[in-house]
Amino acid sequence: HVNHNEEAVVSTQSTGELPKVEESIQKQIAVWEKENERLFTVYGHKFTDLINNQKEELAQRKEQIKENKVRAKEEAMQKDLAFGSTPAKTPKRRIAGTTI
């Protein structure tokens, strides 16, 4: 069972620490490249290129998720309006047996 609050906290911490870790790795790679007089590659790709590509892919995925949420909300609104009902809202909690 995953606690979503804990997951959010870890995600926030990781997001804050990631640039620091990336900078540290970049510095270590620069030293390694200078000492070995060649590029440091991961699966044949320069590390910075690999990281930049992954950042770009992540940004695209986030944008796609955002667009999908907006589209789903608009479709739900159109469906509700087509049948003459009011737009969907979050249901209010009701106490059993009451009409309010």
Side-chain angles (χ1 to χ4, degrees):
H1 179 332
V2 176
N3 183 338
H4 294 291
N5 289 336
E6 289 177 16
E7 188 175 294
V9 168
V10 170
S11 176
T12 302
Q13 289 173 345
S14 297
T15 303
E17 293 175 13
L18 189 58
K20 296 174 192 171
V21 171
E22 184 181 342
E23 183 180 343
S24 173
I25 291 171
Q26 296 257 6
K27 288 178 182 177
Q28 292 174 10
I29 288 174
V31 169
W32 186 91
E33 288 178 338
K34 192 171 186 177
E35 289 174 354
N36 292 280
E37 298 178 348
R38 63 186 181 127
L39 290 176
F40 181 87
T41 59
V42 179
Y43 299 115
H45 300 283
K46 190 173 175 184
F47 177 77
T48 52
D49 294 343
L50 183 69
I51 293 300
N52 290 335
N53 289 340
Q54 288 181 349
K55 285 180 182 179
E56 189 174 308
E57 288 175 12
L58 179 61
Q60 289 174 351
R61 278 185 277 167
K62 284 183 177 182
E63 184 63 29
Q64 186 65 41
I65 290 169
K66 183 179 175 182
E67 289 173 3
N68 289 344
K69 285 181 181 180
V70 168
R71 188 177 309 114
K73 190 174 183 178
E74 288 173 356
E75 288 173 0
M77 180 75 75
Q78 290 301 319
K79 184 178 177 182
D80 286 345
L81 292 174
F83 293 106
S85 62
T86 58
K89 296 179 182 174
T90 53
K92 294 181 182 177
R93 292 182 178 233
R94 297 178 187 221
I95 300 172
T98 63
T99 57
I100 300 177

